[in-house]
Amino acid sequence: MAPVTSLASTVDQRIADALSAALPEAGPADPLLRRSDRADFQANGMLALAKKLKGNPRELAAKVVQALAAGEVIKDVEVSGPGFLNITVTDRAITETLAARAADDRLGVPRAADPGTTVIDYAQPNVAKEMHVGHLRSAVIGAAMVEILEFAGENVIRRHHIGDWGTQFGMLIQYLTEHPHELDHSGADQVSGEEAMSSLNRLYKAARTVFDSDEEFKARARDRVVALQAGDGGTLAQWQRFVDESKIYFHSVFDKLDMEIHDADVVGESAYNDMLEETCRILEETGVAVRSDGALCVFFDDVKGPDGNPTPLIVKKTNGSYGYAATDLSAIRDRVGTLKANTLLYVVDARQSLHFKMVFETARRAGWLNDDVKAVQLAFGTVLGKDGKPFKTREGETVRLSDLLDEAVERASAVVREKSEGLGLTEDEITERATEVGIGAVKYADLSTSASRDYKFDLDQMVSLQGDTSVYIQYAYARTRSIFGRAGDRAPVAHPELELAPAERALGLHLDQFGEVVTEAATAYEPHKLTAYLYQLASLFSTFYTECPVVRPAPPQEVAENRLFLCDLTARTLHQGMSLLGIRTPERL
């Protein structure tokens, strides 16, 4: 089915045509159309046009109104203020446009006309280390962008650039070599994530103790790093045990986050090991990188340290080891050359912005990035506690992500239990709803803040039925479904011939914006635009629910059917929108 043209696009085109007819000397002009609280839409383009033509904006606006015939779409146009056009559309146009959306499985959301391939780098935990609250935003924002971009028609390749390489593995592998049963399982078929992480923690602490107290072990551990980097088979086999054990743990945390992570998408630092030397050679031979005090560096005129001297990007260190930059640049080569990506999207902490700015500029100088291939950092801020400081435990330690999610579900359980009284939910259903509400609350709080900003982690607010929360939206969705349980044999049917009540019009006009919002969120990499839209949709539905009876008191047949149609389209839009954010919508709540 062809994409549905929104009313805003239709009105915009009508005004643009009227501008051309009334003021041909102006050439192509943007009406600058937007939603308005004074009418359905307001066009502000007359002011810029009057400046260009050196005319009176109200007089020019009056000429455009004369050329803008009222009809099936536009009901009324008036000139206000210094030359604004206030436009009201017909009720018929609203209902017919919504009916076209309802007839489409995609709710009329257009697919990208010229889709490309985007590699999204997100959810990057470290092998043999626990995931903490700092890992939350990369996973949640990245997963939402995957869904939004795929729905918009983009070909998306997921990449989880896990920290699975480096000197720390020398200590761990050497200890495991000398204590080979430390990661053995008890014989159980299924090992939990907690058990896997417990084993890794225990081994790490033991290895660190020996490393700090035994010089001979320290020397053996350093030799083990050399063996690892040289590709020694036995050393690699032990390293793989750490990776496999860590993956058991990673998957358990991502399962709690209701997020699917596939092994094929987990391509860590180690995957680029064989490319590092060639990357350095290319950069040096092309003059992009130069030797400085024995290290291979890239310099930038606009990047300076506290002392005012240029701060380089170190690709290869003086001792011959490789920095993070070598791995990141090799990953860019692979993603552009092998995966044929047009866009590289990095969902990475804002505190790494300088590093990625230098990496991207280096890749551009090397020719790996250009006008056709771009790299973007979707930089995110820090998760703060209620006190506005970085989120820590009472003991001052970093909060474990697993504990955080468990607490969110626990808080949600109390809300669900209280709200579901009388619904006859079983304990299993209450547990399932609590998980959907708790995890949804954490994701929504993260996504509803502009990614670049810090945000306060306040579970009490997150699971509240009041305000801008996922629970409020989930409850609105459940309410739409409950209406159909009471509607009897009445079905949702659009009736374009009916006049719409103010609450129906407001709801309908907002429903019609869904496609534009999804496109904007995809294009600008801003999932918070979608959360804001869904919250407003839930709010408008709440007003509609209060002011426009659907079942009791029973309105006339056609009115009831048309209101059921609005309920159904609202439900589908809420469900689809929340799904793009990775949040579930329970049928009963």
Side-chain angles (χ1 to χ4, degrees):
M1 181 175 171
V4 177
T5 303
S6 70
L7 281 171
S9 295
T10 300
V11 170
D12 188 87
Q13 188 60 54
R14 297 285 173 91
I15 297 172
D17 292 344
L19 275 167
S20 297
L23 305 166
E25 68 275 19
D30 186 349
L32 297 178
L33 191 76
R34 63 179 180 81
R35 286 297 309 278
S36 170
D37 55 5
R38 299 184 175 224
D40 295 334
F41 300 99
Q42 187 175 82
N44 300 338
M46 297 303 115
L47 277 69
L49 205 56
K51 196 172 181 180
K52 177 181 176 183
L53 298 176
K54 295 183 171 55
N56 182 302
R58 278 190 68 89
E59 290 175 6
L60 295 179
K63 286 183 180 180
V64 174
V65 171
Q66 286 179 345
L68 191 65
E72 291 188 357
V73 175
I74 295 177
K75 179 181 179 181
D76 183 52
V77 186
E78 66 170 18
V79 179
S80 73
F84 301 142
L85 295 181
N86 287 339
I87 303 114
T88 302
V89 296
T90 65
D91 291 348
R92 174 176 287 277
I94 294 173
T95 305
E96 286 181 345
T97 303
L98 295 183
R101 291 198 179 283
D104 178 28
D105 288 343
R106 291 175 53 82
L107 302 173
V109 177
R111 279 191 171 89
D114 186 22
T117 295
T118 296
V119 173
I120 301 188
D121 187 327
Y122 70 107
Q124 310 106 344
N126 294 309
V127 164
K129 290 185 180 178
E130 283 194 287
M131 291 178 70
H132 53 77
V133 68
H135 291 108
L136 178 66
R137 301 206 73 184
S138 177
V140 170
I141 296 168
M145 283 314 310
V146 166
E147 297 298 327
I148 291 169
L149 283 170
E150 283 189 335
F151 191 67
E154 185 78 351
N155 173 39
V156 176
I157 299 174
R158 301 157 174 80
R159 278 294 175 266
H160 308 296
H161 190 87
I162 64 171
D164 65 352
W165 204 249
T167 55
Q168 74 274 19
F169 284 100
M171 176 186 80
L172 296 173
I173 293 169
Q174 186 58 36
Y175 187 85
L176 185 60
T177 301
E178 297 177 13
H179 303 81
H181 301 295
E182 281 298 304
L183 290 182
D184 288 355
H185 298 148
S186 60
D189 292 335
Q190 207 63 25
V191 178
S192 72
E194 282 293 319
E195 289 174 293
M197 196 64 243
S198 177
S199 297
L200 290 166
N201 273 337
R202 186 176 61 249
L203 189 151
Y204 182 88
K205 288 175 183 174
R208 171 55 70 182
T209 299
V210 179
F211 186 85
D212 290 341
S213 61
D214 186 335
E215 289 300 321
E216 290 183 2
F217 176 82
K218 185 179 289 188
R220 293 196 299 274
R222 286 172 175 160
D223 289 342
R224 187 64 68 176
V225 175
V226 176
L228 177 66
Q229 292 177 341
D232 173 67
T235 302
L236 284 172
Q238 296 287 55
W239 167 81
Q240 189 64 49
R241 291 185 69 188
F242 283 100
V243 175
D244 292 343
E245 196 77 5
S246 297
K247 280 185 178 179
I248 295 171
Y249 165 69
F250 295 159
H251 283 299
S252 73
V253 178
F254 289 127
D255 282 347
K256 281 187 180 182
L257 261 174
D258 195 17
M259 194 177 291
E260 222 174 346
I261 300 289
H262 302 286
D263 272 351
D265 302 327
V266 179
V267 183
E269 295 170 0
S270 62
Y272 308 104
N273 198 44
D274 293 342
M275 297 176 67
L276 301 182
E277 187 54 43
E278 186 181 25
T279 296
C280 292
R281 179 180 59 76
I282 293 170
L283 292 174
E284 189 166 15
E285 287 179 356
T286 56
V288 173
V290 296
R291 294 282 171 179
S292 177
D293 295 329
L296 187 63
C297 304
V298 183
F299 287 91
F300 309 87
D301 292 337
D302 61 340
V303 180
K304 293 181 171 59
D307 57 1
N309 294 322
T311 299
L313 181 71
I314 300 173
V315 185
K316 194 173 186 178
K317 300 174 186 175
T318 306
N319 64 5
S321 62
Y322 302 99
Y324 286 122
T327 304
D328 289 330
L329 288 163
S330 298
I332 289 176
R333 285 178 57 211
D334 178 65
R335 291 166 184 183
V336 173
T338 307
L339 301 179
K340 307 301 181 189
N342 312 103
T343 303
L344 308 178
L345 183 62
Y346 291 78
V347 188
V348 183
D349 193 316
R351 287 170 290 189
Q352 296 186 47
S353 293
L354 179 59
H355 169 77
F356 279 100
K357 176 186 176 184
M358 293 195 289
V359 166
F360 295 163
E361 173 58 21
T362 300
R364 190 192 64 75
R365 292 179 188 178
W368 304 324
L369 299 177
N370 49 50
D371 291 343
D372 299 319
V373 185
K374 65 177 180 177
V376 180
Q377 183 191 359
L378 203 176
F380 56 82
T382 305
V383 181
L384 307 175
K386 289 183 185 181
D387 58 2
K389 298 176 181 177
F391 200 17
K392 302 278 187 182
T393 64
R394 287 179 182 174
E395 294 74 33
E397 296 173 358
T398 305
V399 178
R400 297 169 72 230
L401 183 52
S402 185
D403 291 345
L404 192 86
L405 300 176
D406 287 343
E407 187 178 354
V409 172
E410 190 179 322
R411 297 282 186 96
S413 181
V415 174
V416 170
R417 193 174 294 279
E418 179 186 344
K419 198 68 192 171
S420 63
E421 282 183 16
L423 287 181
L425 297 181
T426 66
E427 280 299 314
D428 285 346
E429 286 174 321
I430 288 174
T431 300
E432 183 182 349
R433 299 294 183 281
T435 301
E436 292 169 340
V437 168
I439 300 303
V442 170
K443 289 182 177 181
Y444 186 88
D446 195 315
L447 295 167
S448 60
T449 303
S450 172
S452 60
R453 292 174 53 198
D454 300 342
Y455 81 97
K456 291 183 181 179
F457 195 93
D458 183 348
L459 273 177
D460 291 329
Q461 174 57 31
M462 288 178 187
V463 299
S464 171
L465 279 161
Q466 309 299 320
D468 186 4
T469 66
S470 65
V471 196
Y472 179 79
I473 298 170
Q474 287 170 322
Y475 183 63
Y477 174 79
R479 185 179 260 179
T480 64
R481 306 318 300 156
S482 72
I483 289 172
F484 284 90
R486 305 194 307 272
D489 57 358
R490 291 185 174 182
V493 181
H495 286 278
E497 73 279 5
L498 292 177
E499 285 189 20
L500 298 175
E504 292 174 306
R505 293 186 102 261
L507 180 62
L509 285 165
H510 193 69
L511 283 166
D512 188 46
Q513 290 180 276
F514 183 56
E516 292 169 348
V517 170
V518 171
T519 300
E520 189 179 350
T523 304
Y525 309 128
E526 293 181 327
H528 72 275
K529 297 276 178 71
L530 181 55
T531 63
Y533 170 86
L534 294 171
Y535 172 60
Q536 192 177 356
L537 179 57
S539 300
L540 289 167
F541 177 76
S542 179
T543 303
F544 161 83
Y545 183 85
T546 302
E547 297 181 5
C548 303
V550 181
V551 180
R552 295 188 191 90
Q557 175 85 7
E558 292 81 2
V559 174
E561 288 175 345
N562 201 59
R563 287 177 179 174
L564 281 170
F565 162 73
L566 288 171
C567 289
D568 184 58
L569 188 55
T570 299
R572 289 172 59 193
T573 306
L574 288 172
H575 175 76
Q576 180 63 73
M578 292 289 267
S579 176
L580 294 179
L581 300 174
I583 300 173
R584 296 186 184 270
T585 42
E587 296 284 313
R588 295 196 298 163
L589 193 59

